[in-house]
Amino acid sequence: MALTVRTRDIPKIPGAVKWYRVSAYITGVLLLALVVEMILKYTPLHLEMQLGGGAFFVPEGTAGKEPGTFNLSIGILIAHGWLYVLYLFTDFRLWSIMRWKPIRFLLIALGGIIPFMSFVVEHRMQQIAMDTYHELTAAQQREKEAAR
């Protein structure tokens, strides 16, 4: 028997979906920036990105070394790592409220580490969650009307 959303959790669905969507977009954008950073650094270009100091692209190993500069390559790496943890938290919250199967949690989690997948998975999971929410609220409304 498949688990269904608990009645007390139905009002929590839109908020959980909103936070999941926000974290999915942030994680997805940072992952794409990380891919660009890796391409710049680990191809024959051997470049890093930095803020300040005039040049945006600098030779590998020199970003952020001069006063007034910031190594954007490392910043993107660290930001994606920590925000992926937030993404996993919002994934877990939505997954537990919806009472989905464990494989769906893993699928959503993969969205934060495979480029472009967070956007695809976010769209699909948001659609499934909100369709379920609308069905459950409509069923509740019908039950209220039938009880009158």
Side-chain angles (χ1 to χ4, degrees):
M1 181 175 160
L3 296 174
T4 58
V5 178
R6 293 180 190 100
T7 305
R8 69 175 186 254
D9 288 340
I10 294 172
K12 297 177 185 177
I13 294 172
V17 168
K18 180 183 89 172
W19 284 109
Y20 165 68
R21 291 186 75 192
V22 168
S23 68
Y25 279 109
I26 292 170
T27 301
V29 168
L30 282 172
L31 180 59
L32 293 177
L34 184 59
V35 168
V36 168
E37 191 271 328
M38 293 293 172
I39 290 170
L40 289 171
K41 189 172 186 175
Y42 296 111
T43 61
L45 297 172
H46 296 290
L47 295 174
E48 288 183 322
M49 297 178 284
Q50 83 172 3
L51 295 176
F56 184 73
F57 298 108
V58 295
E60 182 181 358
T62 61
K65 299 288 183 191
E66 294 181 24
T69 62
F70 175 74
N71 187 336
L72 186 59
S73 297
I74 296 295
I76 290 169
L77 181 69
I78 292 169
H80 172 70
W82 282 107
L83 291 171
Y84 180 69
V85 172
L86 176 66
Y87 174 77
L88 287 177
F89 175 76
T90 61
D91 169 12
F92 180 78
R93 182 168 185 254
L94 179 63
W95 172 79
S96 62
I97 288 171
M98 299 303 296
R99 300 182 76 186
W100 286 330
K101 293 180 180 178
I103 191 73
R104 192 165 285 178
F105 176 82
L106 296 174
L107 177 67
I108 297 171
L110 284 175
I113 58 174
I114 299 174
F116 295 106
M117 191 170 166
S118 68
F119 304 112
V120 174
V121 171
E122 176 277 324
H123 177 74
R124 184 72 182 127
M125 295 306 142
Q126 176 266 339
Q127 188 177 36
I128 292 168
M130 291 311 292
D131 286 348
T132 303
Y133 171 73
H134 293 305
E135 290 170 12
L136 292 170
T137 53
Q140 282 181 332
Q141 188 64 31
R142 285 191 300 272
E143 287 175 10
K144 285 180 184 178
E145 290 173 3
R148 289 183 191 171

